[in-house]
Structure formats: C-alpha cells, structure tokens
Amino acid sequence: MKRKTLVLPAVVGLLAPVLAACGGTDSGADGKGAIVVGTTDQLVASQENPAPLDPAIGYEAGVWNVLRQTVQTLTTVPNGGGEPVPEAARSCAFTDTANESYRCTLRSGLTFADGTPVTAEDVKHSVQRVIDIDAESGPVGLLANIDMIETKGEDQVIFHLKTPDATFPYKLATPAAGIVPKAQYPAKAARKGFQVDGSGPYTMKPEVEDGRVVRIAFEKNPSYKGELKVLNDKVEMDLFPDTGAMGKALDEKKIHLMTRAMSPEQAHEMLVSPKEGVDLTELPGLAISYLGFNTKDPVVTKPVRQAMAQIIDRGQIAGKVYGTTAEPLYSLIPSSIAGHTNAFFNKYGEPSTAKAAKILDKAGVETPVKFTLHYTSDHYGPATAEEFKAIQQQLNASGLFKVSVRGEEWSTYRPEQKRGDYAAYGMGWFPDFPDPDNYTAPFLDANNFLNSPYRSREAEKVLIPQSRRAADRAAAADAYEKLQDIVADDVPVLPIWQGKQYVASRDGIAGVERSVSATSELQLWELNRPNA
C-alpha cells in the first residue's frame, strides 16, 4: 500500500521568501476579513511532480489539508471519531454479508462549485483514475482492492471489491476518493498545477511564487450540500518556511492560528509562560514516529534490529526531545487506537545493553555494528535532528554500535529511501483513518508504503485479510495482536513515539478544538468569530 507522506519534491526555481508574502489586504488577525491559518506544510511543483494537488497524485498531509476543504467524499468520519457517515452520498451501505459490495446513492441536487451536476459517472471517474494513474507515491493503495465500479442511473455507484474489507467506508472518506469533475481531470493523466475544483465546502485560489504555494484563499462554496456545517465565509492559509517564521507571524498578529507543525519548544513555552491574547489548545493526536530498515541490507540483519529495539530508550527520547508533545510508543498501533498492545515492551522490557549483547553474540554478529542512520532535515520539524542525535548517542554508548547520522532534504530523502539506499532511516506516519488497519497494512501488506523488501506471509496472506473481514472492528483484536507481535519479533520497523497536537490561536476565534482532526487534517469550516 502506498501512503500519505508529506512529499516535498525538487523545487522548480528558487525558493521565495514566504513570510514577506503573508498578510494581504484581506488578511491579518485584526478581527476583519478572512480567518488566517498558518502552517509549515509545503506545496511545491517540480518536473517530477507537476500536479501536487491532484487527488490521484498527492498523498501527504499538506495536500490533504487542501483537498479536505475543496473536494467531497462519499463518506466522512464524524468529528471525534466513530464509523463513517454519508457526506456527498445520502446513503451508503454494504449490500452483502461478505463486505464485498458497497453501494452509495448521491444526495439530490448535488453540484460542483461551478454549478455542474455531480453524477455517479463523476464518482466512478474520480476513483478509477486514481487506480489507472497508479502514481508511484500516490494514494492508489487505499483503493487497490476495488475490482470494478458500477453505476446505475445518475445517482448510484456500486464498488465491487476483490476481497472482503470492512474498512472500505473509511477509505472512501479519504481524499484519495475525492470527487472531481470528469471534464476537468483527465482519466489517464494528472491535472497539472495547484488549482483544485470540486463540490466541497470551499472554493480555493492559490497564490504561487516560483513553483511554490505561499498562500491559499478559501471562500465558502454557496453550492455545497453535505454533512459539514461551514461556520465562516473566508479562510486564508499562509504557508511558512519554518516554525520560527510562523510563530513570529502569530506574535505580530498576522495570523489567527498556528497549526502544523508547532515545535516542541513553542508548545512548551506557551504551556509554561502563556502569552497574553493567545490560547494553546491540546488536541488528540494519532501521528507516530519510527525507524525503518532495508531488511535486505547485510548490516541491519534481524538480530541487529532486535538489539536496537533492546537498547533504544523511547521514554528518554520522548521526554528529552519532545517534552509534553510526545510519549513513548511500543507498537505501530498507538495507544489511543483500539487493538493496541505494548508488543515491543512485552518482548524486550526495559532498555538493556546486556540483553542486546546476548542477542548479537548468539547470532555471531561482530561488534561494533557500523552504519549510517538517515533522517529528513526539513520534513517533520526542527526537533528531528535532536531526536536522531539522541538515538545515535544511546546506540553508541552501548559499545555495540558505531552509528553516524545524516540529514537530507525530503526531496532527496524520500526517493533514496524508496530505492533502498538507506540501511536505516527515520519516518513519520499520519494515518489515513483511525483504524488499526491503517497502522499495519501499509507496512506489512504487498506494495507497502516504504517499498520495503520485508515480507511476512502470515501477516500478508492470513492476518490482514482476516482483520478486514470483521465488520465489528473489536472482533479483529486477535489478528491485530498477532500482527503487532510479528513486528516486535522481526523488527521491519521500530516505533519510537506517538505525538500530541497543539494549536495556538489568538483571542476571538472559536472552534479551534475542532479545527484539526485526530489524523492531523485541518477542518477549516469549524472556525468562526462568535462576536464578529
């Protein structure tokens, strides 16, 4: 399964100073005009990816933060979680007991923002083109289980699946299944540029400098019909090069909200010394951080990976580097998701150099084990470098490893990681939907997100299909427990921490606690000025 990753492809042209572009005549945190939201998400066009905001191509949190506002999906996950409910559809349901046929009926009178009717053929076209384009870093993995898409009349679409999948309604709720106008999005090719057209709660107008989006103006779509309640008329998203520039803009009242991604230092400072006129809101978070491995590399063999799992002190890393914004993680599935077990702690217990030495000695591994641990220097925030220095220090202090660390810009990092150039590397994960399937299948199923050579026949052929057959997700707990045990034993990936989310906002803005979902996606329609 391919997976949403905050992709930053090679930039066309020179980088423009983003901060200088922020705060136009209709913006600013002065109580008038648009509500202004700051983010460090980067939206960049390149020769490799000239269509970063096409739903068939873009598979990263920054892209989905735009698509969520502008395109509709047949279903949506309610704010606060729960099972998906109809959104562009007026009804959706499995039509068989095997969970292999899923039918949706569109809302009556549904139109795109330009007034063109939304039909079942548009839905079929939108989903089928994701499968047909099959973008290398795109979201096709979420829809790969679709065998055939059938339409009946103008308003009914039926998805026939290859195998049973009770999580399919969640997948239809992702922007991967976003509905776009057939006339404007080619069936076999990407739509180039940054413009997005759909039937979602907003229309959008991007401001672009040197192939990079610096601002997006969202306006309420008067034609929108759906489940969401839009509580404002205009929102502006300003994109900053780093957290420092974003924080400065908040202090100078150029933005109302500071969202993705605040640094741990900023959150800690606001917790300890609150700023006048600024509120800090803590939100549930489902993002995780982990180490990945090229399991075919002769250096990072299974015993070496197990020894690393035995040495690394997650609590120290979370506390020292991230403070209150992270907590240690002992499974791919975070503790707030049903089915979680502390599989790594159950197997390895407290960090122990002596136990790690026994693992390596029994396998005949010569020490110290030497390799480079890679991380992306510009993708997950400024604390990443400190995190990997801490991991390096822990491993090297054991005397069993001699690890060096190296940071690369994401535009270089992600292609090299997917090619298998790195023996060991760091990654983050923002779930597509809040279900344990989305923390296991993308790493263990065929065509996995990391392009990892690791394979577990039991996971891929038995446990993942078994877990997806359970309409009652609690009934899949045994399968997920076994999947987590497999990961803890083979260590194809090594979970480090799970994060919390913080949003800083200026006084006078309501809806902040609902403006970011647990899966880290912006919900701009929730923001409003109650006293305006």
Side-chain angles (χ1 to χ4, degrees):
M1 177 183 287
K2 297 174 184 176
R3 159 71 183 132
K4 174 177 45 176
T5 127
L6 312 164
V7 178
L8 293 177
V11 181
V12 175
L14 299 175
L15 299 184
V18 179
L19 184 57
C22 296
T25 57
D26 195 33
S27 66
D30 58 0
K32 301 177 181 179
I35 296 174
V36 187
V37 175
T39 176
T40 55
D41 289 331
Q42 302 296 300
L43 303 173
V44 185
S46 70
Q47 292 179 349
E48 291 181 352
N49 182 14
L53 289 179
D54 187 319
I57 307 297
Y59 196 23
E60 51 172 289
V63 170
W64 281 20
N65 279 340
V66 176
L67 296 179
R68 277 293 182 203
Q69 324 309 317
T70 48
V71 300
Q72 272 188 292
T73 49
L74 289 169
T75 62
T76 187
V77 177
N79 211 335
E83 295 184 1
V85 297
E87 179 13 19
R90 61 179 171 86
S91 64
C92 285
F94 282 106
T95 59
D96 64 333
T97 57
N99 294 335
E100 289 184 314
S101 182
Y102 194 73
R103 181 193 299 262
C104 289
T105 302
L106 294 174
R107 292 178 183 268
S108 177
L110 195 67
T111 67
F112 292 108
D114 64 0
T116 305
V118 177
T119 69
E121 283 298 325
D122 287 302
V123 177
K124 178 179 178 179
H125 170 81
S126 300
V127 175
Q128 188 64 52
R129 68 187 295 271
V130 178
I131 298 169
D132 291 343
I133 291 173
D134 192 18
E136 182 179 358
S137 295
V140 64
L142 288 168
L143 308 175
N145 194 34
I146 296 174
D147 184 42
M148 182 181 71
I149 306 173
E150 178 186 1
T151 61
K152 288 188 176 182
E154 292 291 307
D155 64 349
Q156 289 192 41
V157 57
I158 304 101
F159 300 93
H160 299 282
L161 307 182
K162 299 173 185 176
T163 59
D165 185 3
T167 70
F168 188 67
Y170 288 97
K171 295 169 183 175
L172 283 186
T174 69
I179 305 167
V180 295
K182 186 176 181 180
Q184 298 183 41
Y185 286 78
K188 306 289 185 179
R191 183 188 185 185
K192 297 180 180 179
F194 294 102
Q195 185 59 44
V196 180
D197 291 288
S199 56
Y202 296 97
T203 60
M204 60 88 78
K205 183 178 180 181
E207 182 176 331
V208 181
E209 295 182 5
D210 297 315
R212 178 184 293 269
V213 176
V214 296
R215 181 187 296 112
I216 300 176
F218 294 102
E219 289 200 18
K220 184 177 181 179
N221 174 13
S223 301
Y224 171 72
K225 291 183 178 181
E227 177 73 13
L228 309 177
K229 306 301 180 186
V230 184
L231 302 179
N232 57 66
D233 292 326
K234 295 181 180 180
V235 179
E236 178 181 294
M237 180 187 293
D238 285 0
L239 286 74
F240 293 89
D242 53 53
T243 57
M246 182 169 62
K248 186 172 184 287
L250 184 73
D251 290 341
E252 295 177 351
K253 300 184 179 181
K254 292 182 177 180
I255 62 176
H256 296 93
L257 273 78
M258 184 163 66
T259 57
R260 292 178 36 85
M262 291 179 61
S263 71
E265 291 80 10
Q266 287 173 322
H268 177 73
E269 181 181 351
M270 291 185 186
L271 285 168
V272 174
S273 303
K275 297 183 179 181
E276 184 177 357
V278 176
D279 298 316
L280 186 68
T281 303
E282 180 180 328
L283 304 173
L286 297 176
I288 68 171
S289 178
Y290 61 95
L291 302 183
F293 301 95
N294 177 357
T295 54
K296 282 190 175 180
D297 190 289
V299 176
V300 287
T301 59
K302 179 176 175 178
V304 170
R305 302 193 302 269
Q306 289 178 326
M308 292 175 66
Q310 185 66 74
I311 289 172
I312 291 176
D313 188 337
R314 297 164 177 80
Q316 184 187 67
I317 292 169
K320 179 181 177 182
V321 179
Y322 294 98
T324 61
T325 65
E327 57 187 70
L329 179 63
Y330 297 93
S331 168
L332 274 176
I333 301 174
S335 59
S336 48
I337 292 289
H340 163 84
T341 67
N342 287 317
F344 274 81
F345 189 85
N346 295 341
K347 181 173 179 63
Y348 299 99
E350 297 290 348
S352 170
T353 296
K355 290 181 180 179
K358 287 183 179 179
I359 293 172
L360 296 174
D361 183 62
K362 183 178 179 180
V365 176
E366 183 178 347
T367 59
V369 180
K370 300 178 183 179
F371 63 88
T372 298
L373 182 57
H374 295 262
Y375 68 92
T376 172
S377 58
D378 62 346
H379 199 57
Y380 298 119
T384 307
E386 186 179 351
E387 175 186 348
F388 279 80
K389 287 180 181 177
I391 294 174
Q392 176 194 31
Q393 290 171 356
Q394 289 182 4
L395 292 172
N396 290 352
S398 72
L400 302 174
F401 290 89
K402 190 173 183 180
V403 174
S404 58
V405 294
R406 181 174 178 178
E408 297 282 358
E409 291 186 358
W410 182 256
S411 57
T412 299
Y413 183 84
R414 176 59 169 159
E416 290 182 345
Q417 177 269 311
K418 290 191 69 176
R419 285 200 306 265
D421 293 354
Y422 305 153
Y425 51 89
M427 293 289 283
W429 183 257
F430 299 89
D432 303 310
F433 51 90
D435 187 274
D437 178 82
N438 201 234
Y439 288 93
T440 49
F443 301 94
L444 304 175
D445 210 350
N447 193 28
N448 65 79
F449 155 69
L450 294 174
N451 198 32
S452 169
Y454 172 78
R455 289 293 180 273
S456 165
R457 189 181 185 284
E458 183 181 7
E460 185 177 330
K461 302 297 184 182
V462 180
L463 296 174
I464 291 174
Q466 176 185 327
S467 69
R468 288 175 172 170
R469 284 194 291 268
D472 178 0
R473 303 307 291 147
D478 288 346
Y480 287 119
E481 181 176 353
K482 292 175 182 176
L483 286 168
Q484 290 169 91
D485 288 342
I486 287 173
V487 173
D489 186 50
D490 291 346
V491 200
V493 293
L494 177 54
I496 303 295
W497 54 263
Q498 67 179 79
K500 299 178 183 178
Q501 298 185 109
Y502 289 92
V503 176
S505 60
R506 301 206 67 85
D507 289 346
I509 302 298
V512 175
E513 70 280 3
R514 300 182 300 276
S515 66
V516 183
S517 72
T519 55
S520 301
E521 292 173 5
L522 295 180
Q523 301 176 147
L524 300 181
W525 54 86
E526 296 283 3
L527 299 172
N528 64 95
R529 291 188 181 98
N531 299 320

